[in-house]
PDB file of all heavy atoms in Angstrom:
ATOM      1  N   ASP A 191      21.449   9.262  36.994  1.00  0.00           N
ATOM      2  CA  ASP A 191      22.412   8.907  38.062  1.00  0.00           C
ATOM      3  C   ASP A 191      23.156   7.617  37.733  1.00  0.00           C
ATOM      4  O   ASP A 191      24.310   7.438  38.116  1.00  0.00           O
ATOM      5  CB  ASP A 191      21.689   8.711  39.407  1.00  0.00           C
ATOM      6  CG  ASP A 191      21.183  10.037  39.946  1.00  0.00           C
ATOM      7  OD1 ASP A 191      21.603  11.093  39.419  1.00  0.00           O
ATOM      8  OD2 ASP A 191      20.332  10.016  40.875  1.00  0.00           O
ATOM      9  N   ALA A 192      22.454   6.702  37.023  1.00  0.00           N
ATOM     10  CA  ALA A 192      23.076   5.408  36.713  1.00  0.00           C
ATOM     11  C   ALA A 192      23.887   5.464  35.416  1.00  0.00           C
ATOM     12  O   ALA A 192      24.361   4.435  34.928  1.00  0.00           O
ATOM     13  CB  ALA A 192      21.987   4.337  36.613  1.00  0.00           C
ATOM     14  N   GLY A 193      23.995   6.648  34.828  1.00  0.00           N
ATOM     15  CA  GLY A 193      24.843   6.803  33.639  1.00  0.00           C
ATOM     16  C   GLY A 193      24.120   6.628  32.313  1.00  0.00           C
ATOM     17  O   GLY A 193      24.753   6.563  31.255  1.00  0.00           O
ATOM     18  N   TYR A 194      22.802   6.558  32.348  1.00  0.00           N
ATOM     19  CA  TYR A 194      22.035   6.467  31.099  1.00  0.00           C
ATOM     20  C   TYR A 194      21.531   7.854  30.705  1.00  0.00           C
ATOM     21  O   TYR A 194      21.461   8.759  31.544  1.00  0.00           O
ATOM     22  CB  TYR A 194      20.815   5.555  31.278  1.00  0.00           C
ATOM     23  CG  TYR A 194      21.164   4.111  31.532  1.00  0.00           C
ATOM     24  CD1 TYR A 194      21.009   3.569  32.819  1.00  0.00           C
ATOM     25  CD2 TYR A 194      21.640   3.299  30.519  1.00  0.00           C
ATOM     26  CE1 TYR A 194      21.329   2.241  33.079  1.00  0.00           C
ATOM     27  CE2 TYR A 194      21.969   1.968  30.767  1.00  0.00           C
ATOM     28  CZ  TYR A 194      21.810   1.451  32.036  1.00  0.00           C
ATOM     29  OH  TYR A 194      22.136   0.151  32.277  1.00  0.00           O
ATOM     30  N   ILE A 195      21.117   7.963  29.454  1.00  0.00           N
ATOM     31  CA  ILE A 195      20.436   9.193  29.031  1.00  0.00           C
ATOM     32  C   ILE A 195      18.976   9.034  29.446  1.00  0.00           C
ATOM     33  O   ILE A 195      18.358   8.003  29.155  1.00  0.00           O
ATOM     34  CB  ILE A 195      20.568   9.370  27.496  1.00  0.00           C
ATOM     35  CG1 ILE A 195      22.044   9.585  27.132  1.00  0.00           C
ATOM     36  CG2 ILE A 195      19.705  10.516  26.993  1.00  0.00           C
ATOM     37  CD1 ILE A 195      22.361   9.313  25.676  1.00  0.00           C
ATOM     38  N   GLY A 196      18.444  10.022  30.138  1.00  0.00           N
ATOM     39  CA  GLY A 196      17.060   9.905  30.622  1.00  0.00           C
ATOM     40  C   GLY A 196      16.064   9.895  29.475  1.00  0.00           C
ATOM     41  O   GLY A 196      15.160   9.069  29.408  1.00  0.00           O
ATOM     42  N   LEU A 197      16.242  10.868  28.542  1.00  0.00           N
ATOM     43  CA  LEU A 197      15.255  11.055  27.480  1.00  0.00           C
ATOM     44  C   LEU A 197      15.971  11.175  26.134  1.00  0.00           C
ATOM     45  O   LEU A 197      16.752  12.108  25.919  1.00  0.00           O
ATOM     46  CB  LEU A 197      14.448  12.335  27.755  1.00  0.00           C
ATOM     47  CG  LEU A 197      13.242  12.599  26.877  1.00  0.00           C
ATOM     48  CD1 LEU A 197      12.194  11.491  26.999  1.00  0.00           C
ATOM     49  CD2 LEU A 197      12.608  13.950  27.227  1.00  0.00           C
ATOM     50  N   ALA A 198      15.695  10.236  25.244  1.00  0.00           N
ATOM     51  CA  ALA A 198      16.246  10.307  23.885  1.00  0.00           C
ATOM     52  C   ALA A 198      15.351  11.237  23.080  1.00  0.00           C
ATOM     53  O   ALA A 198      14.126  11.078  23.088  1.00  0.00           O
ATOM     54  CB  ALA A 198      16.256   8.919  23.259  1.00  0.00           C
ATOM     55  N   HIS A 199      15.970  12.189  22.393  1.00  0.00           N
ATOM     56  CA  HIS A 199      15.148  13.158  21.661  1.00  0.00           C
ATOM     57  C   HIS A 199      15.890  13.643  20.427  1.00  0.00           C
ATOM     58  O   HIS A 199      17.111  13.734  20.413  1.00  0.00           O
ATOM     59  CB  HIS A 199      14.829  14.347  22.577  1.00  0.00           C
ATOM     60  CG  HIS A 199      13.952  15.377  21.934  1.00  0.00           C
ATOM     61  ND1 HIS A 199      12.625  15.133  21.637  1.00  0.00           N
ATOM     62  CD2 HIS A 199      14.203  16.646  21.508  1.00  0.00           C
ATOM     63  CE1 HIS A 199      12.099  16.218  21.071  1.00  0.00           C
ATOM     64  NE2 HIS A 199      13.041  17.145  20.978  1.00  0.00           N
TER      65      HIS A 199
END
Side-chain angles (χ1 to χ4, degrees):
D191 290 347
Y194 294 106
I195 295 161
L197 189 61
H199 182 69

